[in-house]
Amino acid sequence: MVVSGYHAWLVSLIFLTAAPLMAGAACLYRARRGNYRRGWIALAVAMLLWGGGMAGNLYSGLLLDSWSGVGTFSMLLFILYGVPLILVLAVPEREHWLVRLIDAALALGLGYLFFRHTYAFAAMAEANPENLASLRSMFDIENLFIALFALIRFHTTADPAQRRFFGSFAIYAVLYLATAAFINHLHSDVYYGHWPDIAIGLPFLMLGGLALDDASEGDEASRASVSFEQAVRVGGPLMLPAMLLVVSAVLVRSHPVHAIAGCAAAILGYGFRNIFVQVRSLNAHDQLERLTLVDALTGLANRRQFDASLRREWARAHRTGEGLALLMIDVDHFKLLNDSFGHPVGDRRLHDVAQALAACATRASDIVARYGGEEFVAILPAVTPAQAMLVAETMRTAVARLGLRSPAPLGHVTVSVGIGHIDHVADGDVGALIAAADAALYEAKQGGRNRTMAHPAAPE
């Protein structure tokens, strides 16, 4: 710039166009290495937009030789520069593509409204210094917001690659905030081609250097509390609609139609986003709850669900005065089967036996569960001893008819069944029913296996 004389402005504009483009290229290089690709690509897109806006100024200066102001297209690119930055700060990782699409639409709407607001202020700023001051303050607020949230994300991120990215982003954002404030408030009336232009390029050069730095991310953990980290993750998506509402409120007088559209987009967009996220969360919760109550091998209720169900049916029988039966079912000679055929075969035999037992429990109130190892249980509410014996025999014969090969004396898999039954639940504990079923199972196994025995429960 010193030696180019009259053409210093051209040198300056080329530098200010090249600096963000080089920073964007460095961010793409970092993204190709697989270290938090989403973030580095977002920064690269932002650099491309900023460099494109400056290239528009360069084009205007070369062809029009006029410094009447930034063109509409260049200003739009400068405004859109913040959209990918806000997206990477506001949208949590691993979101569904539809959620990301909604967030992207909100970010684009925010960029458009901000453009309308900025363009209107820029047009009025030439005649009114107060409008120019408002325009500068608005840019300060946007840059401050991006810098603060980048620092928060850095402080609350534990993943090394993401922490490295948000650390670099925060350094760039703080430097850009200071540089933009310096230029906008102290040197806004100085044309291109003077020494303050060097300061404009410094944040981009710093970002390029950080992106090209091959130092290891390290394994430093987040210093923030878990509750604060969770609050940032949950509250981050609110940033986009909140900003959209603020900008829409500012536009009410100058562009009422755009303001109403912005408010509607913010409310509906965030509402649809919340509905979709909540539905996915409920589905995940239901699936997780099911996993905690279902035995993975057999698909039956697990021990936890059995314990809760037995207490519930015991209390119901106490209220209604109806009988309650508990069947304890044990696969005969299962250790011999496992030792002879191996555990994979043993697991398949348990699965097949479980399905046969479940098919015999035809009432909706009947519950068949895996009790542990090769032992199963069945809860039969509101049955008589004869009805419980009929279900137990049906289960025993159903397993025998499967003809599952086994090294047991009979050559196929069989089960022994013990029945505990109580006619009327008065006081006492459910342990009496379990003890009765266990005693009956012991008698069935001692009696030769592949048989059913019953034992009345004695109230404690």
Side-chain angles (χ1 to χ4, degrees):
M1 288 191 296
V2 171
V3 300
S4 58
Y6 173 76
H7 296 291
W9 64 270
L10 180 60
V11 174
S12 178
L13 280 175
I14 292 175
F15 165 68
L16 293 178
T17 301
L21 295 181
M22 288 189 295
C27 292
L28 287 177
Y29 163 79
R30 194 72 187 183
R32 289 187 61 184
R33 299 189 58 181
N35 297 323
Y36 194 50
R37 293 171 54 88
R38 171 177 173 259
W40 290 109
I41 290 175
L43 272 181
V45 172
M47 297 301 104
L48 177 63
L49 291 170
W50 206 98
M54 191 55 67
N57 285 349
L58 177 60
Y59 176 82
S60 176
L62 287 174
L63 295 187
L64 303 178
D65 193 24
S66 171
W67 296 104
S68 59
V70 179
T72 302
F73 182 71
S74 293
M75 182 176 288
L76 176 61
L77 292 181
F78 283 130
I79 297 301
L80 291 179
Y81 148 83
V83 171
L85 301 183
I86 294 173
L87 271 177
V88 77
L89 289 172
V91 181
E93 288 71 38
R94 297 182 298 275
E95 285 286 10
H96 191 270
W97 67 267
L98 183 58
V99 173
R100 294 194 177 195
L101 183 63
I102 295 174
D103 288 331
L106 290 176
L108 287 174
L110 174 64
Y112 176 74
L113 290 183
F114 195 75
F115 164 73
R116 298 295 306 183
H117 181 54
T118 304
Y119 192 69
F121 262 112
M124 296 184 294
E126 297 179 0
N128 189 340
E130 293 184 1
N131 290 330
L132 179 60
S134 298
L135 183 62
R136 293 168 179 167
S137 299
M138 186 172 56
F139 279 113
D140 290 340
I141 292 172
E142 180 191 29
N143 295 331
L144 178 63
F145 174 82
I146 292 176
L148 285 177
F149 212 82
L151 288 169
I152 291 174
R153 290 298 303 270
F154 169 71
H155 189 60
T156 58
T157 299
D159 179 77
Q162 294 184 29
R163 188 170 176 80
R164 170 67 184 277
F165 166 76
F166 284 114
S168 302
F169 188 0
I171 293 173
Y172 161 76
V174 170
L175 188 57
Y176 185 88
L177 167 67
T179 301
F182 170 73
I183 296 297
N184 291 337
H185 292 277
L186 299 179
H187 293 277
S188 61
D189 56 345
V190 178
Y191 290 150
Y192 293 105
H194 296 80
W195 70 268
D197 295 350
I198 300 175
I200 300 176
L202 288 180
F204 305 113
L205 297 180
M206 175 64 75
L207 178 61
L210 292 170
L212 293 175
D213 185 8
D214 289 330
S216 172
E217 281 87 357
D219 55 358
E220 184 181 0
S222 173
R223 298 186 298 271
S225 66
V226 174
S227 58
F228 182 56
E229 181 179 355
Q230 291 175 342
V232 171
R233 290 176 58 190
V234 173
L238 186 59
M239 180 172 65
L240 279 171
M243 290 185 66
L244 193 56
L245 287 173
V246 170
V247 176
S248 299
V250 175
L251 283 173
V252 167
R253 291 187 177 180
S254 59
H255 296 83
V257 176
H258 291 87
I260 294 173
C263 290
I267 296 172
L268 293 177
Y270 189 68
F272 286 136
R273 187 191 195 281
N274 246 12
I275 290 173
F276 186 79
V277 170
Q278 287 295 326
V279 168
R280 292 192 70 209
S281 177
L282 289 174
N283 289 337
H285 180 270
D286 291 343
Q287 184 177 7
L288 181 61
E289 186 176 12
R290 182 178 181 277
L291 289 175
T292 63
L293 298 176
V294 174
D295 177 64
L297 176 63
T298 63
L300 300 179
N302 61 14
R303 177 66 179 270
R304 178 184 176 186
Q305 186 176 359
F306 161 74
D307 290 339
S309 299
L310 184 57
R311 288 193 298 269
R312 182 180 66 247
E313 295 301 333
W314 180 269
R316 180 181 300 172
H318 177 70
R319 293 193 306 270
T320 62
E322 296 174 323
L324 180 65
L326 176 66
L327 312 184
M328 300 197 78
I329 308 149
D330 188 80
V331 179
D332 297 327
H333 303 289
F334 186 73
K335 184 178 184 305
L336 178 61
L337 188 152
N338 257 346
D339 293 341
S340 301
F341 293 164
H343 288 281
V345 174
D347 289 345
R348 289 197 295 271
R349 296 291 186 267
L350 287 177
H351 178 271
D352 293 340
V353 168
Q355 299 309 305
L357 296 177
C360 297
T362 56
R363 300 185 308 168
S365 58
D366 296 340
I367 299 170
V368 180
R370 187 181 181 189
Y371 196 64
E374 71 275 17
E375 198 166 3
F376 300 90
V377 287
I379 304 172
L380 307 179
V383 293
T384 64
Q387 291 171 330
M389 177 62 74
L390 179 61
V391 173
E393 274 297 299
T394 302
M395 289 181 171
R396 186 187 64 79
T397 55
V399 172
R401 287 173 182 169
L402 291 176
L404 301 173
R405 194 164 67 90
S406 169
L410 294 179
H412 60 270
V413 174
T414 60
V415 295
S416 299
V417 184
I419 306 172
H421 183 273
I422 186 167
D423 290 321
H424 177 71
V425 176
D427 296 326
D429 185 75
V430 70
L433 185 62
I434 297 175
D438 191 55
L441 177 62
Y442 178 79
E443 294 175 7
K445 296 182 77 68
Q446 289 296 107
R449 294 185 173 87
N450 189 27
R451 64 189 60 213
T452 301
M453 299 293 292
H455 199 288
E460 294 180 355

